[in-house]
Amino acid sequence: MTEIQKNANNSARFKAMGSVSSWKETTSGFLGKTESGNFQVTVFQSGVIRIQASPFDSFDPNLYSICSNPEKTEYSLEEKFGNIELTTSKIKLKLNLKNFNISFFDLNDKLINADDTFGTSWIGSEVTCYKQVQKNEKFIGLGEKTGNLNRSGKTYVNWNTDYFGYGVEDDPLYMSFPFYIGVHDQGAYGIYFDNTHKSIFNFGASTDRFMYFSAEDGDMDYYFIHESSVSEIISTYTSLTGRMKMPPKWALGFQQCRYSYYPDKEVVSLANTFRDKNIPADVIYLDIHHMEKYKVFTFDGVNFPDPKSMISKLKQLGFRVVVILDPGIKKEEGYIPYDESQQNGLFVKYPDGQNYIAQVWPGWCGFPDFTKPETRKWWAEKMEFYTEAGVDGFWTDMNEPASWGQFTPNLIEFDMDGSPSSHRKSRNIYGMQMARATQEGSILQNPKERPFVLTRSGFAGIQRYAAAWTGDNQASDEHMLAGIRLVNSLGLTGVSFAGYDVGGFAGEASKGLFARWMSIGAFAPFFRAHSMINSKDAEPWAFGEEVEEISRNYINLRYQLIPTIYCKFKESSESGLPLSASLAIDYSNDPKIYQSAFQNEYIFCDTFLIAPVESHKEITKVYLPQGNWYYLYSDKFFNGNQIIFQDCPLSYLPVYVKAGSIFTMQSEGSNTGQKNDGILRVHLYAGADGKFNHYEDDGLSWDFKNGEFHERLLNFNSNKQEFIINHAEGNYESEYSKVKIYFHGFDNQEVKLNGSTKKLNYENFSFLNKLTEFDPLPESEHPFFELELLPYLEIEYTNKEIIISDLN
């Protein structure tokens, strides 16, 4: 056997890091050498420790996901009993000098996570970290992944893939988030594997010995996070990878899309129909048929002869316009974007310098190298074409990158901000960098307004640049529920602004499915209906009068809840926590929430327990976790920790409000920019302490960063029987002149307002309007819930503190 053959055989075998031969302390941890490589341990925060290992002399980090630096953190470091021990105020790390196995403990010496004896190792260029599975351990996260909430027993691949009409168990999809959270009896932790190559997370599939995460190349580079709760782990993870920018308020409204609306007369007609039918909406999308032969930075001169005038008409009706942006630049001399990219070397290239050309919508195309600063700058400048026409938002699609044939050659090269790399390392961050360039362009062209960018592809950190949607789903009940899990899982990995195509993109929704999906979508961060070419119309009025009314009801409820939703977006932009929160965040040790019957339930805006249900069901089981709960529509009271049976006609999605909740509403409106009636409606629920941070600004500009906001804490103390609206902060004048406080579950006939007795008023109140009885037959009568004689107090809304006491 030749020496080459021996080396080849050796490279195909397992190779561990081996024993530690030397180590030394650094300013933020320690580094050293083993038999097989180099390592470095860095204290990033008191609850975050970074582990790096490589067979080479230097590390090859990902430049794009981590956006923070190590904090100055106190820790102790010593060598004893054959281990290097590093202890912060939250974590104790032990690194075994004999085999480089790493274990993590809390400060009570409870084992949180530990390497299997195989530890960190290589098979050829593939690097893997093998971990023990703790007793009763469950695994959640990984972002846009199908399957169950608990990932145990399954394997997932991170490789951004254009997957039209994917199945509800298919993998991989469009985005990659190599971050998971482990939950077990001893505690919880998170691991973010910061490697952009194709990676695998195996949570015990085909083995009873360990779980592992691996990448086909690159370093073992992961961040271990330990905090006292899952929510703190998510918040800490987003302190590393970033948080979303505060979006414009119009992006929180209902958005209508189709592949495609054209010509311009159809687009204007669509807008007029929303207004004529009194169905609120804020956004209309222009898909690829707005372009000339699908070429980006063009309008079709036949179907859209005067786009600026069309968009002006839409704005007069209160609509914003979002256009699709595909990365493929048609190879066509005389087409300015192609000529400029060619002349300035902005395309992705082969190693010999020739442009990489592949087929997509316009035909043969070059692909801008968004990992190159010059390309991002050029793209941002080209976006003037759209902003000059009045376009408000941008939808980056096909940015995995996708091409016909679906098999991009691995040898093509990307600049990677001066560190050229092949497709193997670059693919997963391509879409993220396109979204980055698009956001930068939106801000460059319209610096006074907050950007809105929506992306199909992304990687850890994408939340800094764009909202996300779950791609080309199908019109089925299974996809509707799978989409909820996808959005909830995205929330577990820092992507707060996310949604799905309501009604399903591929296929055609039934009347019942569309109605149910609309009701669920009203409780999603991103609320957009979308449908495919050559399918039936899929607007709210396209399914008959009853579905139209159900859709109108839930869209109206969404718009009335905009004050709450907007406040929670502000909180999420600061904390990184999701608006659509899996029950695994607050109830992570409750085994029932992982059961297939209940894993789709989630908390929306920290207040509403949403229990999604298929369109064909009229009664369903709902699990109410710890706490006390009110059925939203009737105020029926339930104790938690129980399974109930709930009627669920299409007109009433099962929704519950947690005791102690406070949320705000406003009057109905056709769009988020319409002036409300000046009354802030506050709903307060008895049974537990609660708080709500009310926040207002102009909804569009960056002025809130300079003090132009209105913010105040609303606090309910159940023991003191006291509700306080604290003194307002900020320089922005509130939109409201009065506040109307509704008391749910209280027995009061009067209260004390700043010490003075006030009698309560009463009114019948409903969250949804009664449906019209289109069919006169009595058995077709629709249910209707109304809160009879709901007590309320209406007072002037001033910046001064308001104290309401003697509540019981």
Side-chain angles (χ1 to χ4, degrees), residues 431-448:
M432 174 184 177
Q433 294 308 295
M434 182 183 179
R436 172 187 178 182
T438 303
Q439 186 194 77
E440 289 171 353
S442 183
I443 293 172
L444 174 69
Q445 302 300 340
N446 196 0
K448 292 184 178 180

Side-chain angles (χ1 to χ4, degrees), residues 643-799:
I643 296 170
I644 64 169
F645 286 88
Q646 178 66 60
D647 290 335
C648 53
L650 288 174
S651 53
Y652 283 100
L653 176 72
V655 179
Y656 306 84
V657 179
K658 190 169 186 178
S661 290
I662 304 165
F663 64 88
T664 53
M665 298 180 72
Q666 65 182 12
S667 57
E668 293 183 0
S670 65
N671 62 85
T672 57
Q674 185 176 14
K675 188 174 177 60
N676 59 62
D677 65 2
I679 302 173
L680 179 67
R681 294 152 175 88
V682 177
H683 291 263
L684 172 63
Y685 287 78
D689 292 347
K691 63 181 179 178
F692 178 86
N693 199 53
H694 177 66
Y695 177 83
E696 302 174 47
D697 59 31
D698 63 21
L700 192 62
S701 77
W702 302 101
D703 291 348
F704 69 93
K705 291 189 171 184
N706 298 315
E708 290 298 319
F709 60 84
H710 174 89
E711 187 171 20
R712 64 200 311 177
L713 180 66
L714 283 59
N715 191 70
F716 174 58
N717 188 309
S718 58
N719 288 330
K720 291 185 178 180
Q721 301 178 325
E722 187 175 72
F723 176 59
I724 300 176
I725 301 177
N726 286 269
H727 188 277
E729 298 179 358
N731 301 321
Y732 183 76
E733 184 177 347
S734 175
E735 301 173 21
Y736 306 101
S737 57
K738 292 185 177 180
V739 58
K740 191 173 184 179
I741 304 161
Y742 291 95
F743 298 94
H744 298 260
F746 294 89
D747 296 325
N748 291 71
Q749 294 181 334
E750 61 184 27
V751 296
K752 284 190 176 177
L753 174 64
N754 294 332
S756 300
T757 300
K758 291 282 184 181
K759 287 190 175 295
L760 296 181
N761 297 309
Y762 300 86
E763 70 178 30
N764 292 347
F765 179 90
S766 62
F767 285 99
L768 300 174
N769 293 327
K770 182 174 174 52
L771 297 184
T772 302
E773 299 299 340
F774 297 104
D775 188 339
L777 294 174
E779 59 265 25
S780 299
E781 202 168 298
H782 297 101
F784 176 62
F785 290 101
E786 187 173 51
L787 305 176
E788 295 183 356
L789 300 177
L790 181 65
Y792 71 90
L793 179 67
E794 185 172 334
I795 55 178
E796 296 297 314
Y797 186 78
T798 70
N799 288 337

Side-chain angles (χ1 to χ4, degrees), residues 387-561:
T387 55
E388 197 275 333
V391 169
D392 299 285
F394 302 92
W395 170 24
T396 62
D397 193 22
M398 306 291 287
N399 54 340
E400 289 73 31
S403 61
W404 306 155
Q406 297 283 37
F407 209 87
T408 306
N410 276 336
L411 82 166
I412 60 173
E413 293 195 339
F414 299 74
D415 182 75
M416 298 291 276
D417 283 77
S419 300
S421 298
S422 75
H423 176 252
R424 294 205 311 164
K425 183 178 180 182
S426 309
R427 179 180 183 85
N428 279 341
I429 52 87
Y430 184 84
M432 174 184 177
Q433 294 308 295
M434 182 183 179
R436 172 187 178 182
T438 303
Q439 186 194 77
E440 289 171 353
S442 183
I443 293 172
L444 174 69
Q445 302 300 340
N446 196 0
K448 292 184 178 180
E449 294 187 7
R450 301 172 217 163
F452 172 72
V453 178
L454 178 68
T455 187
R456 187 170 79 176
S457 180
F459 192 76
I462 185 62
Q463 65 270 13
R464 305 199 301 267
Y465 306 120
W469 100 103
T470 60
D472 298 339
N473 63 355
Q474 299 182 42
S476 70
D477 281 287
E478 293 79 11
H479 255 271
M480 178 177 69
L481 298 181
I484 293 161
R485 292 195 300 279
L486 287 171
V487 168
N488 292 348
S489 185
L490 284 165
L492 291 168
T493 45
V495 183
S496 301
F497 202 175
Y500 29 73
D501 286 343
V502 171
F505 177 69
E508 295 176 342
S510 66
K511 292 181 178 182
L513 177 59
F514 189 84
R516 183 73 84 199
W517 217 327
M518 285 294 288
S519 68
I520 295 171
F523 297 97
F526 175 63
F527 188 18
R528 182 182 80 159
H530 188 27
S531 57
M532 189 178 171
I533 198 168
N534 289 326
S535 63
K536 294 178 182 177
D537 289 350
E539 294 74 39
W541 53 82
F543 298 85
E545 294 85 351
E546 182 177 318
V547 175
E548 180 181 327
E549 286 203 358
I550 292 171
S551 299
R552 183 186 295 109
N553 261 348
Y554 279 96
I555 297 175
N556 267 328
L557 179 58
R558 167 77 171 209
Y559 276 74
Q560 290 174 278
L561 285 170

Side-chain angles (χ1 to χ4, degrees), residues 226-241:
H226 174 58
E227 302 285 355
S228 60
S229 66
V230 170
S231 61
E232 290 174 287
I233 290 169
I234 296 170
S235 191
T236 298
Y237 165 76
T238 59
S239 75
L240 300 174
T241 59

